[in-house]
């Protein structure tokens, strides 16, 4: 009986301990909406407060790590923690277990933000004209401050993570810095002026003027030695197989991707680049050579396999990749998406019937591909924010004029988002765009766009008078090969 009482007492202690492992608090908006607690390892929990916004979630079964918690963003949690989150004076406050760790995490983000801040460039403009010999030590100090603060925590997992996060966020900043080093914000006015010239007013010197204006923004350049130093700091001396960091750090995951991109440009892969034009195939090979952690490798294998399939023109080019991925992957979501991409490729090879579309035109009418049967159709998939797309428009206009009374339609399909519809309409009107101007119903997620595996623009497609695909990845208007192809069709 005495042993039984001890056992019951022990179980009650365990139950109490488990009950104490909780995330709780009061957030007024949770009275009206549900939040999600999620992470990269697959946790996805819905949280709804009572009528006053009070909530309580058992976290005893969660792994220690970084979670995204609704509007609050990132939060560090660990099993056995009793953590309270409140919304006071328009700020989220964390109390109890994990308060110290979350304050350090918040401090890291604030310090990091002082280096970041310009959309499209990432690094604050003032640092882009700061010499590497000055800038790198500033980042080293940031990493050291976070490392020193981490010593106050008794959580080993958090210490390892936050030090890694500081190191990889430093590499991320240096990556962006190395791309735009020397960019002087005071020299950007000329480029902005050149970019605003309406397409109809751009002359034969426009490309030259554009390039000169872009180059004029840079007041300095990295030396060969500085480039080498930055590349070593960014890409060398770190492990790409740490699953724990991968599941908790956006910067670690991003830097693995950048490292693969960097390696794909190096001399070791020159022969492959010369023989294989599909860049994702090169990155897939690097992934297989570089990464051995199953969880991480499966993701990047999926990314580059799917990219290679979507860029291929014929199934035979990538059938072996598709078969290998389906055979070896255990992730059903990945398998489903890869299969869809491969099936779309099979369904849109040259000489098969093109999938239909039904998109709204700039004049407010619905236009389908079927309604254009009887003439060839040259399709330009583009967007108003896409500089390479806009660069092709003058040449496209020349083609439209040349074949004005011929047996061909020129159709431009914008993949701008619905929220940018007015921007698209204004762009069409301001630049007097001709041909048939359409807007895809769900930008890149439109069925027609997805069936052709479009993941970069501009993309061109040529379809014959019977609706059969002549070329699922046709030449650009600026390419003389397109003129030869159209000439051969005897339009």
């Amino acid at each position: 009986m005495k042993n039984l009482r001890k056992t019951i007492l022990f179980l009650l202690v365990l139950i109490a301990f488990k009950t104490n492992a909780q995330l709780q608090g009061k957030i007024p908006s949770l009275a009206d909406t549900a939040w999600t607690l999620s992470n990269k390892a697959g946790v996805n929990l819905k949280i709804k407060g009572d009528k006053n916004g009070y909530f309580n979630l058992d976290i005893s079964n969660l792994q220690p790590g970084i979670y995204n918690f609704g509007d609050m963003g990132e939060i560090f949690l660990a099993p056995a923690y009793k953590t309270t989150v409140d919304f006071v004076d328009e700020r989220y406050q964390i109390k109890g277990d994990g308060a110290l760790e979350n304050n350090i995490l918040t401090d890291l983000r604030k310090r990091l933000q002082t280096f970041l801040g310009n959309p499209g460039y990432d690094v604050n403009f003032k640092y882009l004209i700061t010499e590497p010999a000055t800038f790198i030590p500033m980042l080293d100090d940031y990493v050291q401050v976070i490392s020193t603060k981490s010593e106050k925590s008794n959580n080993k997992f958090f210490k390892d993570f936050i030090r890694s996060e500081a190191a990889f966020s430093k590499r991320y900043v240096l990556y962006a810095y190395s791309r735009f080093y020397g960019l002087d914000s005071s020299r950007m006015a000329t480029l902005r002026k050149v970019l605003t010239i309406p397409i109809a007013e751009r002359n034969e010197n426009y490309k030259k003027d554009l390039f000169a204006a872009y180059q004029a923004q840079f007041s300095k350049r990295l030396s060969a030695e500085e480039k080498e130093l930055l590349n070593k700091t960014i890409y060398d001396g770190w492990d790409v197989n740490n699953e724990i960091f991968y599941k908790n750090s956006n910067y670690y995951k991003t830097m693995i991707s950048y490292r693969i991109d960097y390696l794909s440009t190096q001399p070791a892969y020159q022969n492959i680049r010369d023989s294989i034009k599909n860049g994702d195939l090169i990155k897939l090979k690097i992934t297989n050579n570089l990464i051995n952690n199953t969880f991480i490798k499966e993701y990047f294998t999926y990314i580059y396999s799917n990219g290679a399939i979507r860029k291929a023109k014929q199934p035979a080019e990538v059938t072996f990749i598709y078969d290998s991925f389906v055979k070896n992957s255990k992730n059903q979501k990945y398998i489903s998406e890869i299969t869809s991409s491969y099936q779309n490729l099979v369904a849109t090879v040259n000489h098969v019937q093109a999938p239909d579309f039904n998109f709204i035109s700039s004049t407010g009418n619905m236009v389908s591909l079927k309604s254009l049967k009887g003439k060839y159709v040259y399709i330009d998939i583009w967007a108003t924010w896409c500089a390479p797309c806009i660069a092709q428009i003058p040449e496209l206009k020349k083609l439209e004029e040349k074949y004005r009374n011929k047996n061909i339609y020129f159709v431009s399909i914008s993949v701008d988002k619905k929220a940018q519809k007015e921007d698209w309409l204004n762009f069409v009107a301001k630049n007097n765009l001709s041909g048939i101007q359409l807007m895809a119903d769900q930008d890149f997620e439109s069925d027609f766009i997805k069936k052709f595996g479009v993941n970069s623009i501009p993309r061109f497609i040529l379809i014959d008078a019977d609706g059969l695909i002549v070329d699922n990845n046709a030449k650009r208007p600026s390419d003389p090969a397109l003129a030869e192809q159209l000439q051969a069709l005897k339009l």
Side-chain angles (χ1 to χ4, degrees), residues 291-353:
I291 302 175
N292 53 47
N293 176 274
T294 303
F295 187 86
I296 299 174
K297 188 170 188 172
E298 185 173 39
Y299 170 77
F300 284 101
T301 301
Y302 151 69
I303 289 296
Y304 299 129
S305 295
N306 199 32
I309 290 170
R310 294 182 69 175
K311 290 176 182 176
K313 294 186 70 173
Q314 299 296 330
E317 299 173 21
V318 290
T319 297
F320 70 100
I321 293 176
Y322 167 71
D323 290 341
S324 174
F325 187 88
V326 171
K327 178 182 178 181
N328 295 306
S329 178
K330 294 181 174 61
N331 189 308
Q332 291 303 312
K333 179 183 177 182
Y334 292 168
I335 292 173
S336 176
E337 292 189 21
I338 289 279
T339 299
S340 176
S341 295
Y342 185 75
Q343 289 175 344
N344 285 339
L345 175 62
V346 171
T348 55
V349 294
N350 296 344
H351 312 304
V352 303
Q353 192 73 34

Side-chain angles (χ1 to χ4, degrees), residues 15 24 44 67 80 91 169 191 241 279 302 330 335 346 401 404 424 447 451 462 467 476 482 491:
I15 292 171
Q24 63 180 9
N44 195 15
Y67 292 80
R91 293 177 58 193
S169 60
L191 178 62
N241 291 290
Y302 151 69
K330 294 181 174 61
I335 292 173
V346 171
E401 183 62 30
R404 177 179 296 277
W424 166 66
D447 190 54
K451 283 187 180 299
L462 182 61
R476 297 184 175 198
L482 176 64
L491 300 171

Side-chain angles (χ1 to χ4, degrees), residues 52 106 147 160 178-179 200 224 246 264 270 299 303 373 377 384 413 419 428 444 475:
N52 295 312
T106 299
S147 179
D160 290 343
S178 66
R179 291 179 65 207
Y246 177 87
S264 71
Q270 181 64 51
Y299 170 77
I303 289 296
K373 272 191 177 182
V377 181
T384 59
I413 300 177
V428 170
F444 279 99
K475 301 298 183 184

Side-chain angles (χ1 to χ4, degrees), residues 121 128-129 179-184 187 213-221:
Y121 302 95
L128 292 178
I129 53 176
R179 291 179 65 207
F180 297 108
Y181 174 75
L183 184 80
D184 189 334
R187 297 184 172 198
Y214 178 78
Q215 293 295 320
Q217 296 179 108
F218 294 85
S219 60
K220 57 181 74 175
R221 298 288 183 180

Side-chain angles (χ1 to χ4, degrees), residues 115-116 198 228 248 250 296 440 469:
F115 297 108
L116 303 175
E228 183 178 3
N248 288 278
N250 285 325
I296 299 174
I469 299 169

Side-chain angles (χ1 to χ4, degrees), residues 148-193:
T148 300
K149 289 198 170 194
S150 73
E151 290 297 330
K152 298 177 182 178
S153 172
N154 294 320
N155 189 301
K156 184 180 183 306
F157 178 98
F158 179 79
K159 283 185 180 181
D160 290 343
F161 162 76
I162 203 69
R163 290 170 179 169
S164 169
E165 186 74 338
F168 284 100
S169 60
K170 168 193 167 181
R171 291 188 176 99
Y172 176 85
V173 172
L174 286 178
Y175 166 82
Y177 170 82
S178 66
R179 291 179 65 207
F180 297 108
Y181 174 75
L183 184 80
D184 189 334
S185 59
S186 68
R187 297 184 172 198
M188 300 175 74
T190 301
L191 178 62
R192 293 194 186 102
K193 184 177 180 180

Side-chain angles (χ1 to χ4, degrees), residues 223-478:
S223 68
E225 293 77 14
E226 288 171 333
K227 286 182 181 179
E228 183 178 3
L229 173 62
L230 284 170
N231 286 338
K232 284 184 177 180
T233 306
I234 295 167
Y235 302 113
D236 292 355
W238 52 275
D239 180 23
V240 296
N241 291 290
N242 193 312
E243 186 173 328
I244 293 176
F245 290 165
Y246 177 87
K247 288 179 177 178
N248 288 278
S249 170
N250 285 325
Y251 292 108
Y252 179 73
K253 181 177 181 179
T254 299
M255 289 313 303
I256 294 176
S257 175
Y258 288 164
R259 185 167 169 180
I260 293 172
D261 289 346
Y262 172 72
L263 290 173
S264 71
T265 67
Q266 296 308 291
Y269 292 93
Q270 181 64 51
N271 291 337
I272 300 177
R273 287 198 302 275
D274 291 342
S275 59
I276 300 175
K277 302 304 180 184
N278 192 326
D280 282 302
L281 289 177
I282 298 172
K283 293 175 185 178
L284 185 59
K285 184 176 181 65
I286 293 171
T287 297
N288 289 330
N289 292 338
L290 187 68
I291 302 175
N292 53 47
N293 176 274
T294 303
F295 187 86
I296 299 174
K297 188 170 188 172
E298 185 173 39
Y299 170 77
F300 284 101
T301 301
Y302 151 69
I303 289 296
Y304 299 129
S305 295
N306 199 32
I309 290 170
R310 294 182 69 175
K311 290 176 182 176
K313 294 186 70 173
Q314 299 296 330
E317 299 173 21
V318 290
T319 297
F320 70 100
I321 293 176
Y322 167 71
D323 290 341
S324 174
F325 187 88
V326 171
K327 178 182 178 181
N328 295 306
S329 178
K330 294 181 174 61
N331 189 308
Q332 291 303 312
K333 179 183 177 182
Y334 292 168
I335 292 173
S336 176
E337 292 189 21
I338 289 279
T339 299
S340 176
S341 295
Y342 185 75
Q343 289 175 344
N344 285 339
L345 175 62
V346 171
T348 55
V349 294
N350 296 344
H351 312 304
V352 303
Q353 192 73 34
D356 196 17
F357 61 68
N358 194 28
F359 298 146
I360 192 167
S361 73
S362 57
T363 58
N365 301 315
M366 298 303 294
V367 177
S368 67
L369 181 58
K370 286 182 179 178
S371 69
L372 304 178
K373 272 191 177 182
K375 287 189 177 184
Y376 281 85
V377 181
Y378 181 73
I379 297 174
D380 170 17
I381 300 173
W382 72 295
T384 59
W385 47 261
C386 169
C389 301
I390 294 172
Q392 291 296 315
I393 292 177
E395 298 301 322
L396 180 59
K397 282 190 166 189
K398 291 177 183 178
L399 282 177
E400 291 169 346
E401 183 62 30
K402 180 177 179 180
Y403 291 95
R404 177 179 296 277
N405 298 315
K406 302 295 183 179
N407 192 42
I408 185 170
Y409 290 114
F410 290 91
V411 177
S412 296
I413 300 177
S414 165
V415 288
D416 284 290
K417 293 185 178 298
K418 284 184 178 180
Q420 277 71 55
K421 182 178 179 180
E422 287 302 316
D423 293 338
W424 166 66
L425 288 171
N426 290 336
F427 189 96
V428 170
K430 180 179 179 180
N431 293 287
N432 194 27
L433 299 191
S434 51
I436 300 173
Q437 297 293 326
L438 305 177
M439 187 176 198
D441 53 2
Q442 297 182 63
D443 51 83
F444 279 99
E445 294 303 308
S446 301
D447 190 54
F448 179 82
I449 304 300
K450 290 174 67 175
K451 283 187 180 299
F452 276 97
V454 177
N455 54 11
S456 64
I457 52 177
R459 172 75 176 272
F460 301 91
I461 300 165
L462 182 61
I463 297 169
D464 74 11
D466 295 318
L468 300 179
I469 299 169
V470 175
D471 195 339
N472 62 12
N473 195 3
K475 301 298 183 184
R476 297 184 175 198
S478 60

